[in-house]
Amino acid sequence: MNFSHKVQAMELSPIRKFVPYADAARAAGKKVYGLNIGQPDIKTPEAFFQAVRGFDEDVLAYANSQGVAELLDALAGYYKRLGLDFERKDLLITNGGSEAINMLMTAILNEGDEVIMAEPFYTNYKTFVGQAGGKVVAIPTTAEDGYQYAVKEKIEKVISDRTRAICIINPGNPTGKVLTRDEMKLIVDIALAHDLFIIADEVYREFVYDGKEMTTFGSFKEAAQNIVIVDSVSKRFSACGARVGSIASKNEELMLHLLKLAQARLCCPTIDQIGAAALYRLDPSYFNDIKKEYEHRRNVSVEALNEIEGIKYGVPEGAFYITCQLPVDDAEKFLMFLLTEFDVDGRTCMFAPAGGFFSTPGVGKADIRIAYVLNAEDMRAGINIIKEGIKAYNSRK
Ligand SMILES: Cc1ncc(COP(=O)(O)O)c(C=O)c1O
């Protein structure tokens, strides 16, 4: 059988690829702290389930390709509270933020076109860009430089005549970097000067810490034709299984092209959209406690990481991930060791090896991404296992 060059060039997600080994460890009776995936343990708001229980149609029919009207209106209302005037016509509901990114790449890239992203980046972008025939071009950043990419020279250095978009994950996954308004403005000006899309993936918008300001690219009206906002209920409302994301843009031509893709995949799940509408109607005060809880988990995780000798990482300012460089030769091998050979009193730990979050060859081999999605006690316990595991791994003959 033949397979496409495109699919052969893709990789399994480093976030999920080791799950079978974690499952085997669990089946063997071990407790495995799952710090690999951005799956929060925060309860999904009751409003979601109530709305779903209230569904009383006789037929579970296809929804509108653009999204159910109730959700489009609730989403528009959510944006309005942020000071953004997206109307129904500016919105498209997608199967998670994942499909939103996937559709956008299909809509804007031709074979060989380039998309700029700060590295490390959310690994699945490589798959989405590759599927559309494009290429991710990285702006390298490090913990030492505070994962700073909003620098004119750094960005302009990687722009070519094939560049179509700058993708910004803000707050960042996997670094937790949060842009200031001035930094966003700089990116907006570059996009305008070079006629590029800004794909603003803001699925972690509310999760900013240390009193930092919550921002959105949607507020830069001067670049309304360039800016596309990706959102999702997954992290925002701890509803990853709902698979409801969205695209918002004032660019009518883009929205029309996207609708062709949306119509071809018919619709997103009807009932999940009804639940998601209830989530987007929640009062913004919902986020106060959630934000506090993540900030606490961040602080506890950082404290625990500080106990690991030789580790390098930057303290995240938002989202719920920490990228760390471990004092090991190879993060994948180390993870396999933790899952198959190591435990502390029957407990071990799973994280995402972060090599796949880089596109620069050879970079990130010793890096891992930790998601601080578990309660503080479990975060401390999981990171302590990494610490003990490093000692055992490095002292093997
Ligand atoms: C930055 C970013 N964008 C998009 C997604 C996609 O999430 P979903 O498809 O669940 O909305 C994720 C998931 O981890 C993410 O971290």
Side-chain angles (χ1 to χ4, degrees), residues 95-99 101 122 125 169 173 201 203-204 232 234-235 240 243-244 321:
N95 288 292
S98 305
E99 191 192 40
I101 303 163
Y122 174 54
Y125 271 87
I169 305 171
N173 173 8
D201 180 336
V203 302
Y204 300 97
S232 166
S234 292
K235 323 290 170 164
C240 297
R243 310 308 307 134
V244 175
Y321 305 99

Side-chain angles (χ1 to χ4, degrees), residues 193-214:
H194 294 269
D195 199 19
L196 304 176
F197 280 110
I198 294 178
I199 297 179
D201 180 336
E202 299 182 352
V203 302
Y204 300 97
R205 183 180 296 112
E206 282 79 8
F207 307 137
V208 289
Y209 314 125
D210 309 315
K212 276 200 155 226
E213 183 197 7
M214 177 176 72

Side-chain angles (χ1 to χ4, degrees), residues 36 85 89 104 120 136 138 156 178 255 264 278 282 285 295 326 331 334 350:
N36 56 310
D85 69 339
K89 68 171 176 52
L104 284 166
V136 173
E156 289 197 326
V178 174
M255 296 311 284
L282 287 175
S285 61
E295 189 162 353
L326 298 183
F334 173 54
M350 168 97 161

Side-chain angles (χ1 to χ4, degrees), residues 308-309 311 326-328 334 337-338 342 385-395:
I308 301 178
E309 218 175 297
I311 193 171
L326 298 183
V328 297
F334 173 54
F337 170 76
L338 288 188
F342 183 78
I385 287 167
I386 296 177
K387 178 178 119 184
E388 296 304 323
I390 291 172
K391 287 188 213 156
Y393 178 80
N394 284 338
S395 64

Side-chain angles (χ1 to χ4, degrees), residues 66-248:
Q66 189 193 353
V68 301
E70 190 186 340
L71 175 56
L72 291 167
D73 289 346
L75 184 59
Y78 162 82
Y79 283 129
K80 205 175 182 97
R81 290 192 289 279
L82 297 177
L84 309 182
D85 69 339
F86 289 118
E87 301 164 40
R88 263 195 206 178
K89 68 171 176 52
D90 309 318
L91 303 173
L92 173 68
I93 304 303
T94 56
N95 288 292
S98 305
E99 191 192 40
I101 303 163
N102 206 350
M103 281 183 171
L104 284 166
M105 297 308 164
T106 305
I108 66 170
L109 297 180
N110 281 317
E111 205 71 31
D113 282 347
E114 296 173 0
V115 166
I116 293 175
M117 294 200 75
E119 174 187 85
F121 50 80
Y122 174 54
T123 176
N124 289 334
Y125 271 87
K126 259 200 291 203
T127 301
F128 297 139
V129 171
Q131 198 177 329
K135 189 176 139 201
V136 173
V137 176
I139 308 169
T141 71
T142 60
E144 287 83 358
D145 68 17
Y147 302 116
Q148 179 57 278
Y149 56 91
V151 178
K152 194 164 190 280
E153 301 73 48
K154 275 194 183 183
I155 299 176
E156 289 197 326
K157 193 171 154 194
V158 293
I159 294 179
S160 77
D161 58 358
R162 299 308 304 265
T163 310
R164 295 290 167 266
I166 309 180
C167 288
I168 307 283
I169 305 171
N170 185 49
N173 173 8
T175 63
K177 162 82 184 152
V178 174
L179 293 173
T180 64
R181 274 200 74 79
D182 287 348
E183 289 168 347
M184 293 167 89
K185 172 77 176 122
L186 179 135
I187 293 166
V188 164
D189 289 343
I190 293 174
L192 283 171
H194 294 269
D195 199 19
L196 304 176
F197 280 110
I198 294 178
I199 297 179
D201 180 336
E202 299 182 352
V203 302
Y204 300 97
R205 183 180 296 112
E206 282 79 8
F207 307 137
V208 289
Y209 314 125
D210 309 315
K212 276 200 155 226
E213 183 197 7
M214 177 176 72
T215 52
T216 168
F217 273 98
S219 61
F220 290 88
K221 303 271 186 296
E222 66 270 38
Q225 292 305 302
N226 304 61
I227 290 169
V228 189
I229 312 276
V230 172
D231 265 306
S232 166
V233 302
S234 292
K235 323 290 170 164
R236 178 162 299 131
F237 299 110
S238 203
C240 297
R243 310 308 307 134
V244 175
S246 57
I247 295 173

Side-chain angles (χ1 to χ4, degrees), residues 244-289:
V244 175
S246 57
I247 295 173
S249 176
K250 287 279 173 194
N251 187 319
E252 285 181 19
E253 202 182 349
L254 172 71
M255 296 311 284
L256 179 68
H257 290 310
L258 290 170
L259 189 60
K260 296 181 210 167
L261 300 172
Q263 289 186 348
R265 62 83 166 109
L266 309 185
C267 70
C268 299
T270 305
I271 292 181
D272 287 305
Q273 292 190 68
I274 288 164
L279 296 177
Y280 274 119
R281 285 193 295 261
L282 287 175
D283 189 88
S285 61
Y286 161 75
F287 295 109
N288 297 346
D289 287 346

